[in-house]
Amino acid sequence: MERGKQLCAWGAAVLIFVVLMVVTPAIPQSEEYHNFADQRELFLGIPNTLNVISNIPFLFVGVVGLTLCFYRNYFRLRLQGEIWGWSIFFLGVTAVAFGSSYYHLKPNDARLVWDRLPMTVAFTSIMAIFIIERVDEKTGTTSIAPLVIAGILTILYWRFFDDLRPYALIQFLPCIIIPLMAILIPPMYTHSSYWLWAAGFYLLAKVEEAEDKQIYKWTNHIVSGHTLKHLFAAMVPVFLTLMLAKRDIEPERRSLLQKWKIYWIRIKENGLKAERLECEYSEVSTTV
């Protein structure tokens, strides 16, 4: 029965993907994408200096996260799929530091492959982790390899056919699905709200990327939107690392939506109690 559900889910995903590929036009990679606002060479002879060195946080966070996955089981990862998923994620984050720096030294399509490849590995591994934690351990574990491979194939497809549609799907789908799943599906662990903080910082990073030149103008040519995009995007693994360090088994598996409803009900109840006390106090004062 479970096997049948999994096959149906994968079949539906493939069908949706095929339909999107048929009904939507190809999205070629614009050459203008490589024309970043801040192209200054500030020190050490590093071209596009700030866009290069702003990738350093990815290296630190990735190495720390990967180390803590195995060092005395600091993150208390209980499932084999979790260990694989988080290890691949932090490997991807670490590789972003090298791939993105390599690309920004001389931005072009050939180097952009090495910028996008590690990011895609990180995105897809996160999706598998979420399936493990929120849906089913076995399904999530078996989906790690297919999702990561699918992500890599989207990069190859773009490079050979100059069509960004599959890559855009892999990149932006987690931005929609993960916050929704974090809100609606009961978690296995505590500190689930950290997922939303991570999603929020990633959204801000994408806005800064889109407004690269405008932000560079607003800051009087001090820092560009793309540099800030790197720094804000690095906050995603920072928050996920903090979540892993702090979280524990959730004693009451309630979704964030359920918790928010309970919290709102309590606020309303406290408000009503306060109103009653105020009325009673007013009546006593009047009587006296």
Side-chain angles (χ1 to χ4, degrees), residues 22-43:
V22 170
V23 301
T24 58
I27 304 175
Q29 177 65 61
S30 171
E31 282 300 314
E32 181 60 23
Y33 179 83
H34 307 300
N35 184 27
F36 298 104
D38 188 358
Q39 300 181 18
R40 294 172 296 174
E41 183 179 309
L42 296 178
F43 51 81

Side-chain angles (χ1 to χ4, degrees), residues 259-271:
K259 289 181 178 180
W260 291 343
K261 284 181 178 178
I262 293 169
Y263 181 68
W264 177 245
I265 290 169
R266 286 175 179 170
I267 289 176
K268 289 175 71 175
E269 287 176 348
N270 290 335

Side-chain angles (χ1 to χ4, degrees), residues 5-21:
K5 288 181 180 179
Q6 291 177 26
L7 289 174
C8 285
W10 282 108
V14 171
L15 179 62
I16 292 170
F17 173 75
V18 171
V19 170
L20 285 173
M21 291 296 288

Side-chain angles (χ1 to χ4, degrees), residues 44 57 60 71 78 162 208 255-256 264 267 269 281:
L44 300 178
F60 289 132
Y71 179 73
R78 303 179 303 110
D162 193 25
E208 288 160 345
S255 68
L256 283 175
W264 177 245
I267 289 176
E269 287 176 348
Y281 177 76

Side-chain angles (χ1 to χ4, degrees), residues 162-195:
D162 193 25
D163 185 359
L164 286 168
R165 284 178 298 168
Y167 171 72
L169 192 65
I170 284 288
Q171 185 182 31
F172 291 107
L173 201 58
C175 300
I176 300 170
I177 292 177
I178 287 178
L180 283 176
M181 291 175 72
I183 292 170
L184 299 175
I185 302 178
M188 184 186 297
Y189 300 102
T190 60
H191 293 81
S192 187
S193 60
Y194 278 62
W195 285 105

Side-chain angles (χ1 to χ4, degrees), residues 56-204:
I56 294 174
F58 289 107
L59 177 62
F60 289 132
V61 181
V63 170
V64 169
L66 185 60
T67 302
L68 295 180
C69 280
F70 297 96
Y71 179 73
R72 297 181 180 177
N73 196 20
Y74 185 82
F75 289 148
R76 301 184 297 280
L77 302 175
R78 303 179 303 110
L79 308 173
Q80 190 63 49
E82 287 183 305
I83 297 173
W84 292 344
W86 284 112
S87 298
I88 293 170
F89 171 73
F90 284 116
L91 275 171
V93 170
T94 304
V96 165
F98 298 101
S100 185
S101 296
Y102 175 69
Y103 163 65
H104 282 287
L105 286 169
K106 187 179 180 182
N108 57 46
D109 280 0
R111 288 181 175 232
L112 186 55
V113 171
W114 302 106
D115 179 24
R116 287 177 171 166
L117 191 59
M119 285 192 291
T120 303
V121 170
F123 289 140
T124 50
S125 61
I126 278 292
M127 281 298 299
I129 290 166
F130 233 81
I131 295 171
I132 291 171
E133 293 187 4
R134 307 284 172 138
V135 182
D136 178 70
E137 174 195 344
K138 187 176 180 182
T139 303
T141 302
T142 55
S143 69
I144 294 174
L147 284 172
V148 171
I149 292 170
I152 294 171
L153 289 176
T154 66
I155 300 294
L156 296 176
Y157 183 87
W158 154 63
R159 191 70 184 101
F160 285 105
F161 298 101
D162 193 25
D163 185 359
L164 286 168
R165 284 178 298 168
Y167 171 72
L169 192 65
I170 284 288
Q171 185 182 31
F172 291 107
L173 201 58
C175 300
I176 300 170
I177 292 177
I178 287 178
L180 283 176
M181 291 175 72
I183 292 170
L184 299 175
I185 302 178
M188 184 186 297
Y189 300 102
T190 60
H191 293 81
S192 187
S193 60
Y194 278 62
W195 285 105
L196 299 184
W197 281 103
F201 270 100
Y202 186 74
L203 178 61
L204 286 172

